[in-house]
Amino acid sequence: MPRVLLALGSNLGDRGATLDAAVAEIGDLPGTQVMARSKWHATRPVGGPPGQGEFLNGAVLLNTALHPAELRRELQQIEQQLGRERTERWAARPLDIDILLYDDRVIEEPDLQVPHPRMSFRPFVLAPAAEIAADMVHPVLGVSIGALWHHLQHAEDVLVICGGVADDRRRLVEDLLCRFPSQSFASLSTYPASQWQLFPALRIRDNLLAPDLFMQEHYRHWVSGREPDASLPKLQIFFAMPQDQMDEYLHVHGSLHDHDLWNRCQGENPAPNPMSCLFTAIPTLTLDPRSDSADLLTEAAAALVAVWPDLCRPAS
């Protein structure tokens, strides 16, 4: 039977009792057996409305005969039975259950994405998941849960923003600088130079167009010492879209430099997996550059707060 990894969280009511009851309900699902459960971890809320209480978070490993969509429906029913009401996004809730991994499946549907799109950079997800499923491999990033958690704990404080076109990356950096307090970041008066921008505790790099062999070559140059102060980033924010839609997007939004890079990438017979570009095996937030800029900022800011909670506090 498929091996499935779930994340559970609660920050309303008797959190521990709710999580225990959820695990019992999951174990009673048809064709399902709970194989392991992590400890419950107390964590601060990330990304939602202010004033929320502390979460308890954990992970559950199970074998199930349920197909992904069936499992998702059953889990939503358990959430509702135990008091979940879906209102504001990331708001306080008595129970949240997410499918992190379903064997090595990659599922892209409007109401279900597996692997979970934010699991790779959230400590409150990775810490309990690594307790019980460190060997499970993220099928897009190509690295185990244990390796992702180790990287998030030990990598240098570097953020890389890549993909899309130069204006996408520039706009996101400018919005992030407005979102967080000025004392956290050095002046970026020379931005968008394609060099490291130094913050007191966080370095950020605006990188080039992402697809594939060209960026792999750039990566080899990076780690071979041509840029001796560089390190593998702790987090990657990647602007991605289907390659067959990139030409039209470039025509409207791209600079001459963007077009030149894209043409070079196209000539290299790029790999079919758009996540194969640049740093594949590190925590990654993937964004669609065509999305509303406020939504992009919300997602990116929440990711930075999850990875660097002490540095990236919202400006008052």
Side-chain angles (χ1 to χ4, degrees):
M1 288 193 296
R3 189 163 67 142
V4 178
L5 182 62
L6 306 179
L8 287 76
S10 173
N11 74 334
L12 285 179
D14 189 336
R15 302 168 300 164
T18 299
L19 295 176
D20 289 338
V23 174
E25 293 287 342
I26 291 168
D28 288 337
L29 294 176
T32 299
Q33 181 180 8
V34 172
M35 307 302 295
R37 193 212 84 179
S38 74
K39 296 180 293 186
W40 302 136
H41 294 241
T43 62
R44 288 184 291 182
V46 171
Q52 296 188 53
E54 193 176 60
F55 271 86
L56 283 185
N57 290 103
V60 170
L61 183 65
L62 54 91
N63 289 335
T64 185
L66 295 172
H67 295 296
E70 295 174 320
L71 177 61
R72 178 180 177 276
R73 285 194 296 270
E74 295 285 357
L75 296 176
Q76 287 182 334
Q77 290 183 4
I78 292 173
E79 288 178 335
Q80 293 170 4
Q81 291 168 11
L82 294 175
R84 173 74 183 266
E85 295 181 2
R86 295 182 179 272
T87 54
E88 187 176 0
R89 189 187 188 195
W90 294 337
R93 52 228 184 250
L95 181 61
D96 188 26
I97 309 175
D98 289 318
I99 301 174
L100 301 178
L101 298 175
Y102 189 101
D103 262 350
D104 59 356
R105 295 273 301 274
V106 177
I107 303 169
E108 291 285 347
E109 298 177 358
D111 58 353
L112 180 61
Q113 290 181 283
V114 179
H116 190 282
R118 300 170 198 88
M119 65 173 290
S120 68
F121 55 82
R122 287 178 165 178
F124 62 86
V125 171
L126 289 177
E131 285 182 27
I132 60 172
D135 64 318
M136 288 192 77
V137 173
H138 192 295
V140 175
L141 299 179
V143 66
S144 71
I145 297 297
L148 283 169
W149 177 225
H150 182 271
H151 181 89
L152 206 60
Q153 295 175 90
H154 299 290
E156 293 191 36
D157 291 323
V158 177
L159 165 69
V160 64
I161 300 177
C162 59
V165 298
D167 281 350
D168 297 330
R169 301 187 298 274
R170 183 185 306 113
R171 186 179 304 110
L172 180 60
V173 171
E174 291 171 350
D175 288 345
L176 288 171
L177 292 174
C178 292
R179 170 64 63 92
F180 296 116
S182 58
Q183 62 266 25
S184 297
F185 304 97
S187 171
L188 294 186
S189 58
T190 60
Y191 195 81
S194 60
Q195 302 297 320
W196 288 108
Q197 308 295 340
L198 299 181
F199 301 175
L202 173 63
R203 294 184 293 174
I204 186 169
R205 181 169 181 151
D206 155 38
N207 229 305
L208 307 174
L209 269 165
D212 292 302
L213 297 180
F214 177 81
M215 294 310 297
Q216 291 172 14
E217 177 186 356
H218 182 72
Y219 170 74
R220 287 194 296 271
H221 291 174
W222 193 332
V223 299
S224 69
R226 295 192 183 187
E227 300 177 53
D229 65 337
S231 66
L232 286 174
K234 182 172 285 190
L235 175 67
Q236 172 180 233
I237 296 179
F238 175 53
F239 283 111
M241 70 175 66
Q243 292 190 16
D244 61 358
Q245 299 177 27
M246 191 64 178
D247 282 325
E248 180 179 354
Y249 187 77
L250 276 172
H251 178 72
V252 177
H253 301 282
S255 66
L256 291 176
H257 183 58
D258 291 321
H259 281 273
D260 179 60
L261 288 173
W262 178 249
N263 291 334
R264 291 174 63 183
C265 293
Q266 293 296 89
E268 295 283 356
N269 187 26
N273 179 2
M275 290 300 294
S276 66
C277 36
L278 198 56
F279 303 104
T280 305
I282 66 168
T284 300
L285 170 65
T286 301
L287 300 174
D288 187 332
R290 298 164 295 183
S291 300
D292 179 78
S293 60
D295 293 338
L296 294 175
L297 175 59
T298 296
E299 290 282 357
L304 265 65
V305 171
V307 176
W308 294 286
D310 295 324
L311 173 64
C312 296
R313 295 188 179 278
S316 56

